[in-house]
Amino acid sequence: MSEKQHKAEHRERPSNEAFRAFMGGGWAPRDSTVPSLTEAARYAAARRERLSALFPGERLVVPAGGLKIRSNDTDYVFRPHSAFAHLTGLGADRDPDAVLVLEPRTDGAGAAAGHEAVLYFLPLADRDTEEFFADSRVGEFWVGARPTLASTAAELGVTTRHLHELPDALAKDAGPGAVSVRVVRDADREVAALVDTVRQQAGLTTDEATVAAAQEADLALARALSTQRLVKDDWEVRQMEEAVEATAIAFDAVVAQLPEAVRRGRGERWVEGVFGLHARHAGNGVGYDSICAAGEHATTLHWNRNTGEVREGELLLLDAGVETDALYTADVTRTVPVGGTFSRAQRKVYEAVLAAQEAGLAAARPGNTFKDIHAAAITVIAEHLLEWGLLPEGVTLEQTLDADTGQYHRRWMVHGTSHHLGIDVHDCALALREDYLEGELREGMVLTVEPGLYFKSDDLLVPEELRGIGVRIEDDVVITADGCRNLSAMLPRTADEVEAWVRAGGTR
């Protein structure tokens, strides 16, 4: 275990043998029931096989990451690294400091023959150990019982070993002409440092050039893991459906609570709390910091301070998503009139954004590229801005859409229309441009479609009636054989539907 997990206790405790025996004795037998292999683990095994085929004969190290200090001696709730969760099937708040190692196997002739999945972690300690009652970070008295090696092996279908065995396991047979080692570097700095030491001692890194080559190999592993998530399997799609359904229920609850958000003051915090309550109850919590932006705050793309008022006559832009216990998150945005009726100017902006989203949704289909979605949506945005006389004088639609000499419309919509979605809210972020932005849409990909228009209150280039209005509409879709399926279609989208939703107090 790392030094960070053995912080000294700032309190005195007995250490004599009689006390240790007293603390360790007199307990009922532990439940020895072994769990069944989970559905998540069955799908994770298939993902490991695909990864194994990309790196034959190499040792692949994927850490879960460790606890992170929030303040002094308190930690944030643990969330494993996404690559680790994807390859193991382990989700919320499980086994900090665990490390998955894909150990290369050979056949009888010495040729590469896939990998054995070995999970190293801290198993449940015996009750006669000091850790049982005295370790405030991992001890059972303090944080609850951990799984055993046997229970985790049964649950995940992998070989399990004590974390103390990891250094020797990483060093075994490592060296030039033998076994090379790759690690997901950003998951755990201590494990990455351990791999670096193994490489150095094994003669795999001997100078700056070989160190740089090893780190580039690590990046290639991380990129492969990210790219592998571009197409979701059936289990992942079901997780996304679950996340979106829970998110829709939470949005309903927020709409029902809008009068309270107005009445209580500091209403953005009230909205954040209502959504967070439902997210924590239905899943692991929120998948990212909720954006609860009322009034002019809606023109700030990532407004998550959520300290403002919610007022009648203004809009509330809620961008939020529930994360399931398996760590898959929704990402949905609705912009609603707090009092139940759009003003003329608010409706004008809203319907322009909705038209752009409809164009983006129509482009979300197999055979198109990812960036085709943005191109379709932003064309509609630019058309409206041109019609409203907001683009510079003399600029045509074609000129503003030109990537090199135009882009004037980006003053009012600076972000992309889509991103991949899944176990990370911005999933597959390390995938190469040719696989992501320029990649062909394929059945099973899960994406957002989220155009917007944002007219800041101090923007003198827009009419006064539009200043302070921010609108974004975002839905989560899965690419199908002939188009896409809108997973969040249960939430109202048209201006009339949204008004009726708010007036009804959130029943959809």
Side-chain angles (χ1 to χ4, degrees):
M1 197 188 312
S2 64
E3 182 179 349
K4 68 184 179 183
Q5 295 169 295
H6 281 299
K7 293 167 59 181
E9 289 292 314
H10 297 294
R11 59 182 65 88
E12 293 184 2
R13 61 174 181 265
S15 59
N16 61 77
E17 289 301 321
F19 174 78
R20 288 166 61 100
F22 177 73
M23 292 298 293
W27 302 101
R30 285 173 166 148
D31 183 2
S32 59
T33 304
V34 175
S36 300
L37 184 71
T38 66
E39 183 182 18
R42 288 195 291 272
Y43 280 90
R47 298 170 200 148
R48 293 194 299 270
E49 287 298 317
R50 291 195 296 273
L51 183 68
S52 173
L54 297 176
F55 301 98
E58 299 189 59
R59 181 171 293 136
L60 309 179
V61 183
V62 185
L67 294 166
K68 292 180 172 59
I69 295 173
R70 183 184 187 277
S71 175
N72 189 28
D73 59 352
T74 60
D75 297 310
Y76 286 105
V77 174
F78 176 68
R79 183 195 189 278
H81 191 278
S82 295
F84 176 89
H86 193 245
L87 293 177
T88 62
L90 285 176
D93 201 12
R94 285 288 304 272
D95 299 328
D97 298 302
V99 180
L100 175 69
V101 177
L102 297 188
E103 187 66 31
R105 294 181 296 203
T106 57
D107 60 18
H115 289 79
E116 177 188 12
V118 185
L119 185 67
Y120 296 84
F121 70 100
L122 289 171
L124 183 65
D126 292 335
R127 285 167 170 159
D128 60 358
T129 63
E130 188 167 325
E131 178 187 302
F132 168 64
F133 66 87
D135 192 318
S136 64
R137 216 166 197 206
V138 298
E140 185 176 345
F141 255 59
W142 300 84
V143 298
R146 297 193 302 275
T148 65
L149 294 175
S151 67
T152 297
E155 178 187 359
L156 302 183
V158 299
T159 301
T160 54
R161 294 178 185 155
H162 198 290
L163 186 60
H164 292 164
E165 299 180 39
L166 179 64
D168 289 341
L170 295 184
K172 182 182 178 183
D173 299 327
V179 177
S180 61
V181 186
R182 297 180 192 243
V183 62
V184 178
R185 299 194 69 84
D186 69 338
D188 190 311
R189 286 181 296 179
E190 293 185 6
V191 174
L194 176 59
V195 169
D196 288 341
T197 299
V198 166
R199 285 169 170 161
Q200 183 180 27
Q201 292 177 347
L204 290 167
T205 53
T206 57
D207 53 25
E208 289 186 5
T210 52
V211 168
Q215 293 183 353
E216 184 61 33
D218 293 341
L219 177 58
L221 171 61
R223 183 173 291 123
L225 288 164
S226 190
T227 304
Q228 186 172 314
R229 301 204 303 268
L230 284 169
V231 176
K232 272 59 180 178
D233 56 40
D234 292 343
W235 183 84
E236 291 179 289
V237 172
R238 290 196 296 273
Q239 285 294 310
M240 294 306 305
E241 291 169 341
E242 180 183 322
V244 171
E245 177 58 37
T247 298
I249 292 170
F251 267 72
D252 251 354
V254 166
V255 170
Q257 284 284 304
L258 284 178
E260 278 295 283
V262 173
R263 184 182 73 82
R264 288 178 174 268
R266 235 180 164 202
E268 290 177 349
R269 285 290 168 93
W270 191 260
V271 169
E272 180 182 13
V274 170
F275 189 91
L277 166 67
H278 283 264
R280 187 64 175 156
H281 183 254
N284 187 44
V286 294
Y288 54 95
D289 287 339
S290 301
I291 297 171
C292 309
E296 204 272 340
H297 289 164
T299 68
T300 299
L301 299 182
H302 291 163
W303 177 264
N304 52 25
R305 300 177 200 168
N306 302 336
T307 53
E309 302 292 327
V310 174
R311 299 183 179 92
E312 293 277 351
E314 295 186 337
L315 300 178
L316 170 70
L317 187 158
L318 176 59
D319 183 335
V322 174
E323 180 181 82
T324 69
D325 290 330
L327 306 183
Y328 287 79
T329 185
D331 181 7
V332 177
T333 305
R334 288 295 183 268
T335 306
V336 302
V338 174
T341 303
F342 288 105
S343 71
R344 185 188 65 82
Q346 289 168 351
R347 179 179 276 262
K348 174 181 177 178
V349 176
Y350 188 93
E351 291 186 336
V353 174
L354 180 62
Q357 196 204 27
E358 291 287 3
L361 290 170
R365 57 188 305 107
N368 283 351
T369 66
F370 175 86
K371 64 181 182 181
D372 286 338
I373 300 173
H374 178 73
I378 204 65
T379 297
V380 175
I381 290 291
E383 287 172 345
H384 281 81
L385 294 172
L386 180 63
E387 179 186 337
W388 298 344
L390 298 185
L391 299 183
E393 186 175 355
V395 170
T396 66
L397 179 65
E398 291 74 19
Q399 287 171 331
T400 193
L401 292 174
D402 187 279
D404 297 321
T405 62
Q407 302 293 294
Y408 299 102
H409 53 275
R410 290 177 66 89
R411 180 182 176 104
W412 299 288
M413 182 181 158
V414 301
H415 62 82
T417 303
S418 293
H419 58 79
H420 282 268
L421 183 66
I423 206 165
D424 285 338
V425 66
H426 295 134
D427 210 16
C428 316
L430 291 179
L432 293 172
R433 179 183 181 89
E434 55 262 34
D435 295 319
Y436 199 128
L437 288 176
E438 298 172 357
E440 184 174 307
L441 298 177
R442 290 178 282 161
E443 187 174 359
M445 288 181 169
V446 178
L447 316 164
T448 65
V449 182
E450 51 173 317
L453 277 170
Y454 313 93
F455 300 109
K456 292 190 173 294
S457 58
D458 58 352
D459 188 345
L460 302 183
L461 296 188
V462 300
E464 187 173 354
E465 68 171 2
L466 298 183
R467 295 175 195 167
I469 294 177
V471 173
R472 182 163 63 252
I473 308 169
E474 178 180 19
D475 284 278
D476 303 340
V477 305
V478 57
I479 302 299
T480 60
D482 58 358
C484 70
R485 176 163 59 95
N486 188 346
L487 301 177
S488 45
M490 73 284 285
L491 285 172
R493 278 198 312 129
T494 71
D496 288 343
E497 289 170 346
V498 169
E499 286 183 337
W501 184 33
V502 176
R503 290 171 187 166
T507 56
R508 48 185 170 90

